Amino acid sequence: MTVPDPVSAAAVMSIPDFVAHWQGHRALTRRVIEAFPDDQLFTFSLGGMRPFGAQATEIHLVDAMTVTALRSGEWPEPDWASGPTDKAGLLAAWDAVSAELAEHGPHTDPAFFTDMHALPWGEMPGWVAAIYAVDNEIHHRAQGYVSLRALGIEPPAFYER
Amino acid sequence: MTVPDPVSAAAVMSIPDFVAHWQGHRALTRRVIEAFPDDQLFTFSLGGMRPFGAQATEIHLVDAMTVTALRSGEWPEPDWASGPTDKAGLLAAWDAVSAELAEHGPHTDPAFFTDMHALPWGEMPGWVAAIYAVDNEIHHRAQGYVSLRALGIEPPAFYER
């Protein structure tokens, strides 16, 4: 076997680390969804932004596609209009993806992260595609924090996962 | 030498990957800072949030501390009131940290990421502390996006790094 160069092969995050990191973010996003009143999640709009329910549904579709890819190496583009449209449906879909990530994520083929993948938005290495899902989730969720504050609701602590 | 278990040792991101990833986010945050009018960066407030200049200064102090730690393993807590207070000063401080990260980041001791570190906000593995700096940057920057939109300014594209 080839012994890898110790510096270039050194991991910032192992595969189980990455799965734990993402699940922590997914748990936080779930708390942000839950914090919205049922009747505001898909209707309250601030500064011309989409309601947080629409953003959270998009996060869900990107996350679901990425979890599928970790398992299968395939990136089937979702129907972006197909997501849940109420809080209970969104939370149920959310929990199903978290369960799939918990079951299959730690067994992701290590080559996934260095191989190139064709996503709906371009070709990139697997590690870029995987971390993009987490970054996209943090970015849109933070806009949900602003909406919660505007509604007079204290958002969940960012640093708790 | 010990041959590591191939799955648990497999990297999601190598050290150079992580540095490139963070620098891409730092470049985006720099564009968000630049997009604010000089006279609004430290004054415009939305929904009771701090002005984006104050959030960006805090991002800068967390990032600077983390870049110092990558190089030295030490986490000296900054004086949180010590950051830049105008746009030119903030951009100059930003560029200095990016240069330090470019020079020293790729040479971070691989053990940094698995060792435990004592941060001002608790004890954690190095990979958690390092990725927290990036996550904190994405989270607060996204709130700057909302302020830019409220000011009628189109923010830089999230997916461009």
Side-chain angles (χ1 to χ4, degrees):
Chain A
M1 68 178 283
T2 309
V3 177
D5 171 70
V7 168
S8 67
V12 168
M13 277 190 285
S14 70
I15 294 171
D17 287 345
F18 172 71
V19 171
H21 173 66
W22 193 7
Q23 292 282 36
H25 275 298
R26 288 185 55 78
L28 175 56
T29 306
R30 193 187 197 287
R31 289 197 292 277
V32 171
I33 296 167
E34 277 191 299
F36 276 82
D38 289 21
D39 62 347
Q40 301 281 3
L41 180 60
F42 283 90
T43 55
F44 180 77
S45 169
L46 187 72
M49 291 192 305
R50 293 173 295 167
F52 183 64
Q55 297 202 49
T57 294
E58 189 180 291
I59 293 169
H60 161 68
L61 292 171
V62 171
D63 283 9
M65 180 172 58
T66 307
V67 170
T68 297
L70 290 176
R71 181 164 52 74
S72 69
E74 301 292 321
W75 298 85
E77 184 165 11
D79 173 359
W80 297 103
S82 71
T85 53
D86 64 26
K87 190 175 177 176
L90 178 56
L91 290 174
W94 198 265
D95 291 342
V97 171
S98 293
E100 188 184 352
L101 177 58
E103 184 178 351
H104 297 289
H107 308 296
T108 304
D109 179 355
F112 174 92
F113 296 99
T114 47
D115 284 350
M116 294 295 288
H117 296 260
L119 273 71
W121 41 85
E123 195 164 353
M124 62 196 76
W127 75 267
V128 172
I131 204 83
Y132 181 83
V134 183
D135 291 357
N136 178 68
E137 179 165 343
I138 299 169
H139 176 74
H140 287 297
R141 183 182 63 208
Q143 301 181 345
Y145 272 64
V146 183
S147 289
L148 282 176
R149 289 198 189 281
L151 285 164
I153 297 166
E154 178 71 19
F158 173 67
Y159 50 83
E160 279 175 20
R161 302 291 158 76
Chain B
M1 67 178 285
T2 309
V3 177
D5 171 70
V7 168
S8 68
V12 167
M13 277 190 285
S14 70
I15 294 171
D17 287 345
F18 172 71
V19 172
H21 174 66
W22 194 6
Q23 292 282 36
H25 275 298
R26 289 185 55 78
L28 175 57
T29 306
R30 193 186 196 286
R31 290 197 292 277
V32 172
I33 295 167
E34 277 192 298
F36 275 83
D38 290 23
D39 62 349
Q40 300 281 3
L41 180 60
F42 283 90
T43 55
F44 181 77
S45 170
L46 187 73
M49 291 191 305
R50 292 172 297 166
F52 183 65
Q55 296 202 50
T57 294
E58 189 180 291
I59 293 170
H60 161 68
L61 292 170
V62 171
D63 283 8
M65 179 172 59
T66 306
V67 171
T68 296
L70 290 175
R71 181 164 52 72
S72 70
E74 301 292 321
W75 297 86
E77 184 163 11
D79 173 357
W80 297 103
S82 72
T85 54
D86 65 27
K87 190 175 177 176
L90 179 56
L91 290 174
W94 198 265
D95 291 340
V97 171
S98 293
E100 188 184 354
L101 178 57
E103 184 178 350
H104 297 290
H107 309 295
T108 304
D109 179 355
F112 175 92
F113 296 100
T114 47
D115 284 350
M116 294 297 286
H117 296 261
L119 273 71
W121 41 84
E123 194 163 356
M124 62 196 76
W127 75 267
V128 172
I131 204 82
Y132 181 83
V134 183
D135 291 356
N136 178 68
E137 179 166 342
I138 299 169
H139 176 74
H140 288 297
R141 184 182 63 208
Q143 301 181 345
Y145 272 64
V146 183
S147 289
L148 282 177
R149 289 198 188 281
L151 285 164
I153 297 166
E154 178 71 19
F158 173 66
Y159 51 83
E160 280 174 21
R161 303 290 157 76

